[in-house]
Amino acid sequence: MEPFRRHRGRMAPLDRANVDTDQIIPKQFLKRIERSGFGPFLFHDWRRTDPDFVLNRPEYRGATILVAGPNFGCGSSREHAAWSIQDAGFKVVIAPSFGDIFATNSLEIGLLPVRLPEPSVRRLLDLAREDPTVEVSVDLEARTVTAEGFDERFEIDPFARDCLLNGWDKVALTLRHEPDIAAYEARRAVWLPRLAAS
Amino acid sequence: MPRTLAQKIWDAHVVRSAEGEPDLLYVDLHLVHEVTSPQAFESLRLAGRRVRRPDLTVATMDHNTPTRGGREAADEIGRRQLDALEENCRWAGIRLYPMGSRHQGIVHVIGPELGLTQPGMVIVCGDSHTSTHGALGAMAFGIGTSEVEHVLATQCLPQRRPRDLAVTVEGELPVGVVAKDVVLALIHQVGVSGGQGCAVEYRGGTIRALSMEGRLTICNMTIEWGARVGMVAPDDTTFAYLEGRPYAPRGAEWERALDHWRSLPSDPDAVFDREIRLDAARLEPFVTWGTNPGQAVPVSGRVPEPTTENEERALRYMDLRPGTAIQDIAIDRVFIGSCTNARLEDLRAAAAVVRGRRVHPRVRAMVVPGSAQVKLQAEAEGLDRVFEEAGFEWRDAGCSMCLGMNPDILQPGERCASTSNRNFEGRQGAGGRTHLLSPPMAAAAALVGHLVDVRQVADVIPAEPSRRS
Ligand code: SF4
């Protein structure tokens, strides 16, 4: 994973609550067996049916910060949702709250989910609508989101933050605890199910 | 210190804990399917890693699988995913139940059915409805593909302790009201993000009185209100369900397992961070009108006036007008299936409504058993004939029209009464409109051609005595 320290970019305002992963990436695009190439299918149905949809508007082309309503990314566990947002060029998603699995998936791939209070998100949405060229800085080290006349701190799990700042491979971190894992395995109950290979 | 069920399971699975870091949890069972795993295996191989515990991992094919015509009926990219799963399982030595196997089925149906899902276990799967397995008193949650890779490589997952939330349901369910109605009413009450960050324990007299199938339905839909884990403490219903299943412990081990399982329920004075209460006696059959599972009303109700932009959007998408009586909504399709409601008891309940009656001529209705085993058992009871004689299609096991990743999809504009768990825009096919409800309610809708209170069907269409087989 690429380390994430800070990012500066323009916003795309998606003023909707409960945007679910089926909207982010409809299932007909889940059949790929690669991790990349999902960007063109991001919000496929909305882009196709609504010419005014934010990602269809030329003034938001090149935006790298997605700002959305509460409970963004609820629904399925498909990491494809986070992949498609990242693949479409976004580095940060800002919302009042996120679906748990979506937030975890984003952190895993280096797409930063930033949780801000609803009124603050509302101000960013308004800002992006009034002036699509406005730039926002997101600083993970300082845990701040800043723009002209806007300065907010956000909370993030300190461990997740360290992983992002350093671009750590989490599997490698866990594998360092091999002795603990082996010791745990030695004391598991004997009746627990085990499968033979087919 | 008194502890909750979730806390006990958590504590028993901590491999390592360190200040400032998430706990490293051990995973007892890792369920794998074709859609969310290929990239995980690929990354694992690229990193030169292996699957640590293939013997604690099991795979099945469900999302992409056609429910008629076998593997050949899948489209080319769908087949590529099925092939990839087969190759990955062969490479790693993982037990796979492929299409055609007598244990193939929806991943959340076959876990409990095989006795792989047991009380006190930590279970994960690259699928949000993994919460289903909590019905047996396991801590089970959905994970993303990166986490799937993590578990394949280490059999562990770094996790933060969830908050404890109790949902207490008391009272006797009125006739015609079933587990699906309880959970739809609950989501309507708490909202689709009401459970974020929580491990939920469903408890109270109503839950205790439910069959294992009913508990599975409720735990399945836990993710629909944002909680990751939904559990029911193990009790005699759980033990009776498990005994004799292929992977359940036997003999002396069964006795030892029982001792352990009996120690799992929350201590009487355990403290939950929050409690939600629901009165079962006042419930009615529920139906969704919108595009998330919380947008629901009792079947006797009407499509509400929208109060938010979201609700306006939902009404537009669903092509519904506020004030319309729910029972005046005509439907084109009926889907009885999915990991929410495609177990034997669900099919029996639907068949009981259907028996001796016919599907409305305008409606295309299908029943898709949750697993190959459910299909076999249902056929042994003659349920397939009940459905087919009434005009339902009787299909092979799989996710089918729950998510429309296989040939079973809604056409744009089609309206479906569905026993699945998500009514998101386009979930069952682009432009398709979904109303979530229980299996008996779906069966009733199929017969009359519109949404209807299942309790009135007997008055509307009497069963023909000659067809009452
Ligand atoms: S039946 Fe539906 S919800 Fe269940 S695993 Fe399959 S696609 Fe997911």
Side-chain angles (χ1 to χ4, degrees), chain A residues 138-188:
Chain A
V138 179
D139 188 329
L140 179 59
E141 235 165 345
R143 284 180 285 140
T144 54
V145 178
T146 48
E148 190 146 345
F150 186 96
D151 189 349
E152 287 262 355
R153 276 178 82 80
F154 62 91
E155 296 296 323
I156 182 170
D157 181 285
F159 181 73
R161 176 164 161 264
D162 282 348
C163 287
L164 277 178
L165 286 173
N166 298 293
W168 282 334
D169 170 357
K170 283 197 189 158
V171 176
L173 290 184
T174 297
L175 286 173
R176 284 194 323 205
H177 306 304
E178 169 60 35
D180 294 321
I181 304 173
Y184 183 89
E185 286 177 331
R187 53 174 202 268
R188 290 180 78 233

Side-chain angles (χ1 to χ4, degrees), chain A residues 16 23 27 30-31 34-35 46 71 75 79 98 100 105 157 169 174 177-178 184-185 188 195-196, chain B residues 12 16 26 28 39 43 49 52 55 64 75 81 144-146 150 160 196-197 403 405 422 425-426:
Chain A
R16 290 181 190 179
Q23 301 321 315
K27 66 264 155 195
L30 303 187
K31 290 186 182 172
E34 299 83 17
R35 257 178 208 269
W46 288 346
N71 200 24
E79 198 162 304
F98 294 93
D100 285 339
N105 289 342
D157 181 285
D169 170 357
T174 297
H177 306 304
E178 169 60 35
Y184 183 89
E185 286 177 331
R188 290 180 78 233
L195 294 117
Chain B
R16 175 182 177 276
Y26 198 80
D28 292 310
Q39 292 89 349
S43 307
R49 290 172 181 146
R52 181 183 179 90
D55 60 330
N64 270 326
D75 63 23
Q81 244 174 20
T145 296
S146 295
H150 202 123
R160 294 276 180 198
Q196 260 169 19
L403 89 168
M405 248 189 109
R422 285 191 177 139
E425 287 181 29

Side-chain angles (χ1 to χ4, degrees), chain B residues 33 62-63 106-108 127-129 220 224 337-340 398-400 402-403 420-422 427:
Chain B
H33 64 84
D62 54 7
H63 285 65
I106 306 173
V107 66
H108 311 309
D127 191 283
S128 59
H129 293 99
N220 174 272
E224 304 311 331
S338 90
C339 57
T340 316
C399 295
S400 182
C402 173
L403 89 168
S420 54
N421 45 40
R422 285 191 177 139
R427 169 79 177 181

Side-chain angles (χ1 to χ4, degrees), chain B residues 38-60:
Chain B
Q39 292 89 349
F41 281 106
E42 182 65 15
S43 307
L44 192 76
R45 265 195 296 267
L46 285 176
R49 290 172 181 146
R50 63 188 179 88
V51 176
R52 181 183 179 90
R53 294 298 300 266
D55 60 330
L56 304 185
T57 312
V58 64
T60 186

Side-chain angles (χ1 to χ4, degrees), chain A residues 36-161:
Chain A
S36 55
F38 289 94
F41 312 122
L42 174 64
F43 295 119
H44 175 268
D45 292 359
W46 288 346
R47 266 161 125 166
R48 196 177 43 101
T49 54
D50 177 5
D52 270 348
F53 183 66
V54 55
L55 297 192
N56 286 336
R57 310 237 306 257
E59 62 270 34
Y60 295 111
R61 199 159 296 151
T64 52
I65 300 173
L66 186 64
V67 187
N71 200 24
F72 183 83
C74 59
S76 98
S77 68
R78 57 187 73 162
E79 198 162 304
H80 313 65
W83 296 337
S84 63
I85 294 173
Q86 191 177 53
D87 200 58
F90 291 99
K91 310 281 183 216
V92 180
V93 187
I94 300 177
S97 61
F98 294 93
D100 285 339
I101 311 180
F102 174 82
T104 307
N105 289 342
S106 301
L107 290 167
E108 289 278 347
I109 65 166
L111 171 72
L112 180 65
V114 172
R115 203 179 316 242
L116 288 180
E118 203 152 350
S120 311
V121 173
R122 170 90 12 235
R123 276 171 59 211
L124 287 177
L125 288 168
D126 291 344
L127 215 57
R129 260 195 300 250
E130 281 156 23
D131 180 3
T133 67
V134 91
E135 293 211 340
V136 171
S137 295
V138 179
D139 188 329
L140 179 59
E141 235 165 345
R143 284 180 285 140
T144 54
V145 178
T146 48
E148 190 146 345
F150 186 96
D151 189 349
E152 287 262 355
R153 276 178 82 80
F154 62 91
E155 296 296 323
I156 182 170
D157 181 285
F159 181 73
R161 176 164 161 264

Side-chain angles (χ1 to χ4, degrees), chain B residues 230-243:
Chain B
M231 301 195 284
V232 176
D235 59 11
D236 288 342
T237 302
T238 321
F239 310 143
Y241 174 90
L242 267 175
E243 194 165 10

